[in-house]
Amino acid sequence: MTKYIFKRLIGMIPTMLIIITLSFFIVRIAPGGPFDGERALPEVVKRNIEAKYHMDEPLWQQYGRYLFDVIRGDLGPSYKYKDHDVNYLIFNSIPNSIILGCIAMAIALIFGVSFGIIAAVKQNSVLDYIPMGIAALGLSVPLFVVGPLLQYIFAMKLGWFPTSGWFSEGLGWKTIILPSIALSFAYYADIARLTRSSMLETLRSDYIRTAKAKGMRNSVIIFKHAMKGAMLPIVSYLGPAFAGIITGSIVVEQVFRVPGLGKFFVQSSFNRDYTLIVGVVIVYSAILIVMNFVVDVVYAQLDPRITYK
């Protein structure tokens, strides 16, 4: 296992190198630039700005300089946010995205696994149809509809929560609830459906029949025996889902005015802010790769039949 972990850690290096390389060249090949605007800059001014940021050098030389800076942990200056560099912008906003993502994932896991188990145990009953009906809504209704709907009902009509804002701005902990619920909705749907189908399959397996024949209580069979096997697909799903719930929070962050990384990702795309775009892609990719690695390790711990050589 230790050898496998070491190989996977080493394997992350070329993966990240490919991501950095592709991101660097794709944003520069695309038409437009960070200093293009409605009114063209004088040619002398534009040349001076490009010289300041080394953009007058050949592309391969710019890539080598940027790669060396990234290895040192420097994601470069922002071409639009002149007061701060990319490191400052990303690492002061990503904690908010991670907090939002972790709370949303916790909500999705708690309710998704709970209702998925209930739906499997009470198959073809009201306790099966209602959670799966809500899951179907979660899969079909997009976030830009769920967010404003929650704002309209719980903020504007009932007045229970603020319409937007974030607790770090001094607006209170209630600002976390609506965006977390909105973001968790689609992931609840996936987890509930996965849990139900996996639990149904596990409950029909031979070792569960043997446990029932021995006279074990249903609660012991479900939580001690069936649940461990049924959780394997959920664990596999959690790796990309956790990365996705952070990267996919862009819409929710915009709707609820959460000062997360999504704001900079959207604005940097419109502004053609090369270094900020690539910096955000690097951070998102690193989260995805690390979470997939963690899932593989946890998967082996849950299922002793799985070995990594």
Side-chain angles (χ1 to χ4, degrees), residues 31-308:
F35 309 118
D36 295 339
E38 294 181 4
R39 298 178 63 181
L41 291 172
E43 194 61 33
V44 176
V45 175
K46 189 174 181 179
R47 281 201 303 267
N48 289 336
I49 294 174
E50 288 177 346
K52 176 184 176 181
Y53 292 110
H54 306 285
M55 295 179 68
D56 57 339
E57 299 174 351
L59 198 57
W60 64 267
Q61 194 171 340
Q62 293 181 47
Y63 169 72
R65 185 188 298 277
Y66 182 75
L67 187 61
F68 179 73
D69 288 340
V70 170
I71 293 171
R72 293 190 299 114
D74 181 8
L75 296 176
S78 170
Y79 298 140
K80 292 295 182 179
Y81 300 95
K82 302 295 177 61
D83 296 335
H84 303 292
D85 59 11
V86 174
N87 285 45
Y88 178 88
L89 295 173
I90 288 179
F91 293 106
N92 276 272
S93 58
I94 197 171
N96 295 325
S97 295
I98 291 175
I99 290 169
L100 176 60
C102 287
I103 295 172
M105 181 57 75
I107 293 171
L109 268 175
I110 292 168
F111 288 98
V113 171
S114 301
F115 288 130
I117 292 172
I118 292 170
V121 174
K122 302 293 183 180
Q123 187 182 11
N124 298 326
S125 69
V126 175
L127 294 176
D128 181 15
Y129 297 143
I130 292 176
M132 291 304 105
I134 296 172
L137 285 175
L139 292 174
S140 56
V141 181
L143 284 175
F144 60 81
V145 174
V146 175
L149 187 62
L150 290 176
Q151 286 177 324
Y152 178 75
I153 296 172
F154 295 102
M156 298 177 67
K157 287 295 183 182
L158 298 177
W160 292 354
F161 306 105
T163 55
S164 61
W166 194 241
F167 72 96
S168 62
E169 299 173 341
L171 298 176
W173 61 270
K174 286 186 177 181
T175 54
I176 302 174
I177 297 175
L178 288 185
S180 299
I181 293 173
L183 187 57
S184 68
F185 199 44
Y187 292 91
Y188 155 79
D190 287 333
I191 293 172
R193 288 165 63 89
L194 273 174
T195 303
R196 180 184 182 275
S197 60
S198 181
M199 182 62 75
L200 283 173
E201 184 180 352
T202 305
L203 289 174
R204 291 167 183 155
S205 59
D206 292 336
Y207 76 95
I208 296 297
R209 291 196 193 98
T210 303
K212 289 180 179 178
K214 289 181 178 179
M216 288 186 180
R217 288 178 299 173
N218 282 336
S219 59
V220 175
I221 292 172
I222 292 169
F223 293 106
K224 187 175 180 180
H225 298 288
M227 194 170 175
K228 188 174 182 180
M231 287 301 101
L232 292 176
I234 310 301
V235 172
S236 297
Y237 170 79
L238 286 181
F242 185 81
I245 208 168
I246 294 175
T247 58
S249 65
I250 294 171
V251 174
V252 173
E253 288 177 10
Q254 294 295 303
V255 170
F256 290 95
R257 206 166 53 81
V258 177
L261 193 54
K263 176 183 71 173
F264 293 112
F265 186 73
V266 173
Q267 291 181 354
S268 64
S269 301
F270 286 120
N271 294 335
R272 310 290 302 162
D273 196 342
Y274 292 160
T275 49
L276 188 53
I277 294 172
V278 179
V280 173
V281 169
I282 291 171
V283 171
Y284 280 162
S285 302
I287 293 171
L288 177 60
I289 292 169
V290 169
M291 289 310 301
N292 281 333
F293 165 72
V294 171
V295 163
D296 286 344
V297 174
V298 173
Y299 202 92
Q301 300 299 318
L302 286 176
D303 192 347
R305 296 171 298 177
I306 298 173
T307 57
Y308 296 114

Side-chain angles (χ1 to χ4, degrees), residues 16-29 63:
M16 288 302 302
L17 181 61
I18 292 171
I19 291 169
I20 293 169
T21 303
L22 289 175
S23 303
F24 179 89
F25 285 104
I26 286 172
V27 297
R28 281 164 175 76
I29 291 172
Y63 169 72

